[in-house]
Amino acid sequence: MSSDQGQTNWPLQMEKIRDARDEAAFAAVFAHFAPRVKAFLMRSGTDAAMAEECMQDVMATVWHKAHLFDPSRATLSTWIFTIARNRKTDMLRRDRRPEPEDLTWGPEAEAPQEDVIALQQETTKLGQALAMLPAKQRDLIEKAYFGDLSHSEIAAETGLPLGTIKSRIRMALDRLRHAMG
């Protein structure tokens, strides 16, 4: 279980969790990674309550989805921190959505005509800029911003590596910024 340097064999622990639902193995993984995940989330600006909730969710995911961990593709820490980053993004996205009681009901006041025209012009310009993107970049932008998919969900859907998706989206956004400039 441990090497002579005191390092835990995390892939073996995950194998025990996956194959035997080994609670002692999970306790070891939890004890090591849960505080690190919470600290990582708090360092990235998440408040303590959300960091705790997110960390609990991440560790539950580790237990329930142990079969998805592949030590040939990533270390356990990389896998867990990727789950944490994605879960934080999902939670922030969820928290930004208005609750039904926050939505206004009934007709809204009409915007000034010049604002409507400016918005129509910006929308047209954005549509033209999107059409100028390479198809691979445009497809990812549409999935991320119009399909409301996370980068991980896009990776799962397309089979592309997460890094490729991120770099294509970053390049596409740079092109759009330049075109809209």
Side-chain angles (χ1 to χ4, degrees), residues 87-107:
R87 197 66 47 154
K88 175 188 169 198
T89 301
D90 293 344
M91 290 176 92
L92 290 172
R93 193 177 286 149
R94 177 198 71 200
D95 287 352
R96 271 192 240 122
R97 291 196 176 116
E99 293 297 320
E101 63 268 11
D102 296 336
L103 297 174
T104 57
W105 298 100

Side-chain angles (χ1 to χ4, degrees), residues 3 9 31 43 56 64 71 81:
S3 73
N9 183 338
R43 277 194 313 274
Q56 293 288 341
H64 292 294
F81 283 98

Side-chain angles (χ1 to χ4, degrees), residues 1-165:
M1 174 152 113
S2 295
S3 73
D4 53 327
Q5 291 134 358
Q7 296 280 325
T8 302
N9 183 338
W10 296 119
L12 178 62
Q13 298 293 25
M14 289 303 292
E15 195 175 298
K16 290 178 181 179
I17 295 167
R18 180 192 71 211
D19 297 343
R21 307 310 284 163
D22 186 319
E23 292 180 10
F26 180 70
V29 170
F30 189 97
H32 182 79
F33 287 101
R36 287 166 174 81
V37 167
K38 185 174 178 181
F40 162 75
L41 293 166
M42 290 179 69
R43 277 194 313 274
S44 68
T46 306
D47 67 64
M50 182 183 273
E52 178 71 25
E53 179 185 350
C54 189
M55 177 273 296
Q56 293 288 341
D57 195 37
V58 167
M59 298 314 293
T61 300
V62 169
W63 173 258
H64 292 294
K65 299 203 174 182
H67 64 282
L68 296 177
F69 172 64
D70 180 356
S72 69
R73 295 190 66 201
T75 64
L76 182 57
S77 61
T78 299
W79 187 66
I80 289 175
F81 283 98
T82 300
I83 294 169
R85 189 188 67 238
N86 294 339
R87 197 66 47 154
K88 175 188 169 198
T89 301
D90 293 344
M91 290 176 92
L92 290 172
R93 193 177 286 149
R94 177 198 71 200
D95 287 352
R96 271 192 240 122
R97 291 196 176 116
E99 293 297 320
E101 63 268 11
D102 296 336
L103 297 174
T104 57
W105 298 100
E108 291 190 23
E110 296 229 355
Q113 189 62 28
E114 61 271 9
D115 290 352
V116 172
I117 292 169
L119 182 60
Q120 288 171 338
Q121 290 171 342
E122 283 289 307
T123 303
T124 300
K125 193 174 180 182
L126 178 60
Q128 292 167 343
L130 280 168
M132 299 290 288
L133 288 175
K136 291 177 179 179
Q137 290 177 4
R138 184 175 55 249
D139 181 50
L140 294 178
I141 289 290
E142 288 171 352
K143 286 180 186 319
Y145 293 95
F146 303 121
D148 203 27
L149 297 175
S150 70
H151 292 171
S152 298
E153 290 167 334
I154 295 169
E157 186 180 298
T158 63
L160 292 170
L162 191 56
T164 301
I165 289 166

